[in-house]
Amino acid sequence: MRTTRTFPAISPNAAGVTGPLLDSEAVLREGVAALAALDPVMARLAAEGAAPVLRKRPPGFAGLAGIVVGQQISTASAAAIWGRLTARLPDLTPEALAAAPDDPLREAGLSAPKIRTLRAAAAAILDGTLPLDTLHALPADEAHRLMVAVHGIGPWTADVYLLFCLGHPDAFPAGDLALQEAARLADGLETRPSAAALTRRADAWRPWRGVAAKVLWASYRVAKARDGAPLSP
């Protein structure tokens, strides 16, 4: 099995995005403080107790595959499929996936679209068009562009990988429904903003959009706990 890698801090780049990876509570606190200085809404949410959580997934192909496997199914179903998949392919690398026939993948419970997505991702990593191990050093928008260029990888998958597997401080999954609802509550809107509208709103939070997403999710948990409502829009 591959071991989890620790990536270095993000270096300055042509887009002017700098900052450390979200790999510690100290960096998370730094991001929250920076956001509070950038936006009164973020300052208010932090003051109201929206404490972001440092959640991480393993980076690399296995981490990406786990996100793809879990799309649009329950947590229990995803865990069961993942268990069967890793039993059949214990060393879940691009090479192993590319060489595996479809039958064991289907037997693990993967749908045909998810098999195609995983094969496309494996092929892109192997031919160098998806430099998965160096995405952390790119501006979030460029890393996002490289990921969604792979057939089957959508914006949500790309941003969740960048944020939770790589800890990219500026990744922002604007298509996430809970994030949209949190933004609606935070800004006092009548309707949930679209992904495009939320992306525009998040420009004010660069280069800490990833931390802003975590603050918004935390504020959503606070709001729902206060209202006694379930935690899913």
Side-chain angles (χ1 to χ4, degrees):
M1 295 293 288
R2 286 187 173 182
T3 57
T4 300
R5 292 179 295 280
T6 300
F7 293 114
I10 296 173
S11 303
N13 50 60
V17 178
T18 61
L21 294 175
L22 299 177
D23 58 2
S24 70
E25 294 291 344
V27 174
L28 203 55
R29 289 194 297 271
E30 178 187 348
V32 172
L35 288 168
L38 287 171
D39 187 345
V41 172
M42 284 288 150
R44 173 174 56 80
L45 295 179
E48 290 175 350
V53 178
L54 186 69
R55 291 172 53 201
K56 295 189 68 179
R57 291 169 173 258
F61 182 69
L64 176 59
I67 295 171
V68 171
V69 167
Q71 287 174 349
Q72 299 178 325
I73 59 176
S74 70
T75 301
S77 296
I81 294 171
W82 184 254
R84 292 193 294 268
L85 177 62
T86 53
R88 288 162 173 80
L89 294 176
D91 186 20
L92 191 55
T93 62
E95 295 84 356
L97 194 287
D102 280 352
D103 284 348
L105 305 181
R106 284 195 296 263
E107 291 164 2
L110 288 173
S111 65
K114 289 184 178 181
I115 292 173
R116 287 195 295 270
T117 297
L118 291 177
R119 290 201 183 284
I125 293 167
L126 292 173
D127 70 19
T129 55
L130 180 59
L132 206 63
D133 286 348
T134 58
L135 290 178
H136 65 285
L138 298 175
D141 292 343
E142 174 65 10
H144 175 100
R145 184 190 67 78
L146 289 172
M147 292 197 72
V148 298
V150 177
H151 179 75
I153 295 182
W156 183 88
T157 300
D159 290 322
V160 166
Y161 178 82
L162 293 172
L163 181 55
F164 290 104
C165 293
L166 297 188
H168 200 304
D170 203 37
F172 192 77
D176 185 84
L177 294 182
L179 192 59
Q180 293 172 5
E181 179 65 9
R184 183 191 73 79
L185 295 171
D187 285 336
L189 304 176
E190 290 187 2
T191 59
R192 199 161 59 211
S194 66
L198 187 53
T199 297
R200 292 191 296 271
R201 173 72 173 93
D203 277 339
W205 303 325
R206 291 178 184 270
W208 292 103
R209 291 181 302 168
V211 178
K214 290 177 176 287
V215 171
L216 286 170
W217 279 317
S219 73
Y220 181 67
R221 290 193 296 270
V222 169
K224 293 299 139 181
R226 183 173 59 238
D227 295 343
L231 281 177
S232 59

